[in-house]
Amino acid sequence: MDKVAFYTLGCKVNQYETEAMEEIFEKNDYVIVNSDEIADIYVINTCTVTNLSDRKSRQFISRAKKLNKDAIIAVVGCYSQVSPDEVEKIEGVDVIIGTTERNRILELCEKAKAENQRINIVRNIKSQKEFEPINIDDIKSKTRAYIKIQDGCSQFCSYCIIPYARGPIRSRSLDEIVEETQKLASAGFKEVVLTGIHVASYGKDTDKTPLVKVLEEVGKVKGIDRIRLSSLEPTLIDENFMKSILKIGKVCDHFHLSLQSGSDTVLKRMNRKYTTSEYRNIVSIIRKYMPNAGITTDIIVGFPGETEDEFNETLDFVKEIGFSRIHVFKYSPRKGTPASKYENQVDGNIKNQRSECLIALGEELMLKFNSKFINSTLSVLFEEESKGEKGNIEGYTTNYIRVKSKKDINMIGKIVDVKINKIKNDFLLG
């Protein structure tokens, strides 16, 4: 049997799409092997958010060819969408697909092999107006499942390449979302995560179905006990939104609200669509209805022109909000974005210092947040055995705290109430 290996970079959407492509090969009698094994076909699902992502993609292409010089190499995703000519120049690449038509991956790989030719089907993503489904029938995980409900972004933040890689917003039909949810419930899943490139924009391209309606309909599916939302634009949330999701009763009290900076002047240069005052108000609305909500975020340090005072504004704002977890990124110029041409690019050493400072603050805040729940009983969906810790299993609370417990392995895939005894590193022990 022919073998295929996948190497995936980037976000949860990419991971979802890789799993869908794997399934296409499996249904046609291919064996999926690890990316460091010898295979007949290597598929690199790329990310282009940073220069590092592009470099990792190129490095894996080289590595794959060393593993099997006769293998077919397919490069798909955001990097090939944004820079198809650059990818075409990389020696050894046989198939180039952008962020559409990934359901043709097997057909194109086999054609490239049979006809001994390079195939490039990347086209102008701006013309893509419809959501292109790429479905998964057999999810490999059996606890938490991702459902892609949306693609594209029309925000055009000054630092971000994604609108150029993913195109305009396209929403998946509500019927398709509910149908996939029902399949997942039948397969035994308890939690679904609604994901996309810009989830908050769901329905805005059709003016028919708001995101709240999706949550309501998914919430009606029997067997699904938890609904989680992936990264959200903060401005989606208001009093009506929170009242609506409380009525559903299954939406997790965890919100990943992208901040990017705690300085209004930096936010303006980033072309973000809110101020720190508005963000502060949104967080207060969440906590009014869900007092124990975990609020996580992304922050970029070293954005062009970021002064020491502006960075300190971010530190002060982060402390004030009290995030439960922070993902810190050092600004990376992306060719084709306005910010890459801005003056006063920040020195790399300064970026490193600011990143370390913010990461340390994030760890302090996470410890403070998690500590609030010692001696509490929390609902945990157990997902897996703890690596290297025989007898422990671990999972997540609704507000996205990792919990380890000496429970029976048969508890994996089930939601269990756990009495929290103490805290260790970034997780709770029960």
Side-chain angles (χ1 to χ4, degrees):
M1 297 175 75
D2 285 343
K3 297 177 181 178
V4 59
F6 284 80
Y7 182 68
T8 306
L9 291 149
C11 63
K12 296 295 185 184
V13 175
N14 265 17
Q15 293 170 31
Y16 176 96
E17 290 163 352
T18 288
E19 198 162 330
M21 288 188 285
E22 286 178 345
E23 193 169 281
I24 292 170
F25 281 92
E26 286 176 322
K27 286 181 177 178
N28 286 274
D29 298 325
Y30 277 76
V31 175
I32 310 294
V33 299
N34 292 330
S35 61
D36 58 355
E37 294 182 47
I38 294 173
D40 301 286
I41 298 172
Y42 292 91
V43 180
I44 301 96
N45 193 1
T46 63
C47 172
T48 194
V49 168
T50 67
N51 290 321
L52 180 60
S53 305
D54 293 354
R55 189 163 71 246
K56 283 183 176 179
S57 298
R58 293 191 295 269
Q59 287 171 346
F60 185 79
I61 293 166
S62 175
R63 197 166 82 210
K65 270 300 179 186
K66 288 177 182 176
L67 286 168
N68 181 5
K69 63 181 178 61
D70 297 319
I72 294 294
I73 307 292
V75 181
V76 307
C78 293
Y79 177 38
S80 48
Q81 180 67 53
V82 171
S83 307
D85 295 340
E86 190 175 307
V87 174
E88 216 170 56
K89 291 175 184 175
I90 302 173
E91 186 178 350
V93 175
D94 301 288
V95 177
I96 305 170
I97 304 174
T99 53
T100 60
E101 299 185 83
R102 278 154 298 192
N103 51 6
R104 296 181 62 196
I105 181 70
L106 174 58
E107 165 208 339
L108 296 174
C109 286
E110 292 188 337
K111 183 177 180 181
K113 183 176 182 179
E115 300 179 5
N116 193 27
Q117 63 166 307
R118 171 175 281 182
I119 298 172
N120 182 346
I121 64 163
V122 177
R123 57 188 175 80
N124 187 350
I125 194 67
K126 292 179 183 177
S127 63
Q128 185 73 17
K129 302 299 181 186
E130 300 294 327
F131 180 89
E132 185 181 274
I134 179 166
N135 298 324
I136 304 174
D137 293 326
D138 184 20
I139 306 286
K140 292 178 176 59
S141 157
K142 289 297 176 189
T143 52
R144 184 197 309 166
Y146 288 83
I147 302 176
K148 183 182 172 186
I149 68 168
Q150 178 275 340
D151 208 337
C153 179
S154 302
Q155 295 295 101
F156 290 96
C157 299
S158 64
Y159 55 84
C160 187
I161 197 71
I162 293 303
Y164 308 94
R166 288 281 179 167
I169 56 173
R170 288 101 65 199
S171 301
R172 188 178 185 181
S173 77
L174 180 57
D175 288 344
E176 284 184 9
I177 296 168
V178 172
E179 183 181 350
E180 185 168 353
T181 306
Q182 289 168 338
K183 285 181 183 177
L184 294 168
S186 298
F189 287 91
K190 299 297 183 186
E191 179 179 319
V192 292
V193 185
L194 305 186
T195 191
I197 298 301
H198 193 261
V199 171
S201 67
Y202 180 90
K204 291 183 179 178
D205 52 325
T206 61
D207 292 324
K208 291 180 181 177
T209 309
L211 182 59
V212 165
K213 180 65 174 175
V214 176
L215 293 168
E216 289 171 348
E217 294 304 310
V218 169
K220 293 176 184 177
V221 177
K222 290 183 179 179
I224 299 298
D225 295 324
R226 290 182 178 184
I227 306 167
R228 201 179 293 275
L229 288 160
S230 64
S231 181
L232 289 177
E233 188 75 9
T235 52
L236 169 75
I237 295 172
D238 57 19
E239 295 266 357
N240 289 333
F241 181 85
M242 293 303 298
K243 288 176 182 177
S244 297
I245 65 172
L246 270 185
K247 287 179 184 176
I248 296 166
K250 296 182 179 181
V251 180
C252 291
D253 52 346
H254 167 230
F255 299 87
H256 188 83
L257 303 180
S258 297
L259 174 62
Q260 307 306 358
S261 176
S263 165
D264 284 325
T265 48
V266 174
L267 287 173
K268 189 173 182 179
R269 295 201 299 275
M270 288 178 164
N271 196 32
R272 299 293 286 177
K273 308 300 191 294
Y274 51 82
T275 64
T276 53
S277 176
E278 290 166 334
Y279 192 103
R280 181 186 294 111
N281 184 54
I282 289 161
V283 171
S284 68
I285 290 171
I286 291 172
R287 288 177 172 157
K288 173 182 174 182
Y289 292 93
M290 294 180 171
N292 291 324
I295 299 176
T296 56
T297 199
D298 303 315
I299 298 176
I300 295 171
V301 297
F303 188 74
E306 184 185 60
T307 64
E308 195 68 28
D309 286 343
E310 287 172 330
F311 176 66
N312 286 331
E313 287 173 8
T314 293
L315 289 177
D316 290 342
F317 189 73
V318 166
K319 290 174 189 174
E320 178 190 347
I321 296 298
F323 291 102
S324 57
R325 192 181 292 260
I326 300 171
H327 301 288
V328 181
F329 301 89
K330 290 174 280 190
Y331 171 73
S332 173
R334 303 305 292 132
K335 184 180 177 182
T337 63
S340 66
K341 300 175 184 176
Y342 286 178
E343 295 180 355
N344 300 320
Q345 297 285 329
V346 177
D347 179 78
N349 290 328
I350 294 175
K351 289 182 190 177
N352 289 337
Q353 292 167 8
R354 291 177 182 175
S355 174
E356 290 171 6
C357 179
L358 195 51
I359 288 170
L361 175 58
E363 290 174 350
E364 181 184 318
L365 292 175
M366 179 173 62
L367 180 63
K368 183 178 180 180
F369 179 78
N370 290 357
S371 296
K372 293 194 301 184
F373 300 98
I374 295 173
N375 297 322
S376 300
T377 298
L378 301 177
S379 173
V380 180
L381 172 57
F382 284 107
E383 299 186 0
E384 61 185 357
E385 286 187 85
S386 298
K387 293 179 178 62
E389 297 180 27
K390 193 173 181 181
N392 277 344
I393 60 174
E394 60 185 74
Y396 284 88
T397 63
T398 56
N399 56 357
Y400 208 62
I401 302 173
R402 192 158 64 113
V403 175
K404 288 186 181 181
S405 183
K406 290 188 180 298
K407 296 284 185 183
D408 190 288
I409 194 170
N410 293 322
M411 291 293 103
I412 292 175
K414 296 179 181 178
I415 297 174
V416 182
D417 286 340
V418 178
K419 176 69 180 294
I420 303 303
N421 300 315
K422 58 183 178 179
I423 189 168
K424 182 179 179 182
N425 300 328
D426 64 341
F427 53 85
L428 298 176
L429 295 176

